[in-house]
Amino acid sequence: MGSGADFDLFKISDEHRMLRDVTRQMVEDKIVPFAAAVDEEARFPQEAYDAMRELDLHAPHIPEEYEGSGADALATCIVIEEVARGCVSSSLIPAVNKLGTVPVLLAASEEIKRKYLPPVARGEQMFAYGLSEREAGSDTAGMTCQAIADGDYFVLNGHKAWITNAGVSEYYTVMAVTDPDGRRGANVTAFIVEKSDEGFTFGAKEKKMGIQGSPTRELHFENCRIPNDRVVGKVGEGLKIALATLDHTRITIGAQAVGVAQGALDAAVKYVQQREQFGKSISTFQGVQFMLADMAMELEAARQLVYVAAAKSERNDKDLSFFGAAAKCFASDVAEKVTSDAVQLLGGAGYTRDFPVERMMRDAKITQIYEGTNQIQRIVMARQLLK
């Protein structure tokens, strides 16, 4: 873990500022108008996907050599933050495209990269990530999904649970046990599974508290034959690849949390300036002002931590594990508090669907859970400190 004395951690360039402005305008014009309907109807935010593809914001992290925009980690976080400010479900499009493809970028052969990354970069396909199972959430090494070698193939059997954007994504990075008798954690391999593969099906959509516009389903594998050339990295290194991926992608969940918190704060500030009680604007009351000050202060601290972590991700710093976990954990805790306080500031109005803050509060909760619960993040941080 770093000492914290390195002041050259990140820099917001003119290009980053321009990207923020362009993304924010797109969100206001083409995502916010549909956000409530996407939540109410629990449907994939196609309008948002189309709008992001027009500006190459659906998977901005993919390098230029694979037909992508080549956005750095901070730029990708800015995109996700700005989209989440208007609609968290929509922000899962670039976030999960990154989650699914980072294992490929980190460990796959050049052949796999050139086959699977360009269609995602062009906006023709989406990528998802299959690690968790019903009985193997925080305990990822306890997975039971197996892929047994059979000549030129691996035969995949089992399930994956809580898979974001399942069904709408064409490609899936899936972790499975390839040596059932091998050492726990060193017997997992990463594969690319295609939606059209025989023996690969989906469970029903989960009925969730929030992120209603992002389909969450199980992946089911029944004698699903995967060619050997779709192994990502080396056989037996799947869990190592999965955990290295999360070091980078947890930061995007921090960015998502910052975005939804900012959206809630914006709504609260606007409301308290318009709402009158006792003959004056409630924004003049000290109790309200103190709540807003705390919300803004904690949000800005979260943003700075996420941006520092993004810079470390770009450089692949040795203390990335700590900062990735810290950014995700702190920002999501802040998002849960800020969105709850926003509902409180709007009072009875905030509890209704006439205003977006109740949706934001429901959506924010998941950021404390997925890509590792915040309890797991604290374990990750402590282990780094105690090394």
Side-chain angles (χ1 to χ4, degrees), residues 56-195:
D56 287 334
L57 300 177
H58 58 284
H61 69 286
I62 294 179
E64 292 177 357
E65 61 194 291
Y66 305 113
E67 302 185 35
S69 301
D72 62 24
L74 177 55
T76 302
C77 281
I78 288 171
V79 169
I80 292 168
E81 175 189 340
E82 288 300 323
V83 177
R85 189 167 166 263
C87 175
V88 179
S89 291
S90 298
S91 73
L92 281 160
I93 292 170
V96 176
N97 271 337
K98 180 166 184 175
L99 177 61
T101 57
V102 165
V104 175
L105 288 164
L106 289 178
S109 66
E110 193 62 27
E111 290 76 15
I112 284 180
K113 290 177 182 177
R114 297 211 172 273
K115 180 178 181 180
Y116 290 103
L117 294 177
V120 180
R122 293 192 297 263
E124 298 166 359
Q125 310 293 355
M126 290 171 59
F127 230 113
Y129 183 77
L131 176 62
S132 295
E133 299 176 7
R134 292 285 174 187
E135 302 303 323
S138 296
D139 179 19
T140 51
M143 71 177 69
T144 59
C145 188
Q146 292 188 0
I148 304 303
D150 181 20
D152 294 333
Y153 293 84
F154 282 86
V155 181
L156 191 57
N157 282 284
H159 82 283
K160 292 294 170 180
W162 307 300
I163 307 305
T164 305
N165 288 347
V168 295
S169 295
E170 186 70 23
Y171 306 136
Y172 300 79
T173 302
V174 175
M175 310 296 164
V177 173
T178 45
D179 181 7
D181 299 320
R183 182 169 62 85
R184 190 176 187 269
N187 60 349
V188 172
T189 301
F191 299 88
I192 290 179
V193 180
E194 298 181 9
K195 187 178 179 180

Side-chain angles (χ1 to χ4, degrees), residues 321-348:
S321 291
F322 177 90
F323 276 86
K328 188 268 188 194
C329 184
F330 184 76
S332 59
D333 282 350
V334 167
E336 198 269 344
K337 179 179 182 295
V338 168
T339 55
S340 178
D341 283 351
V343 171
Q344 188 71 23
L345 284 167
L346 269 69

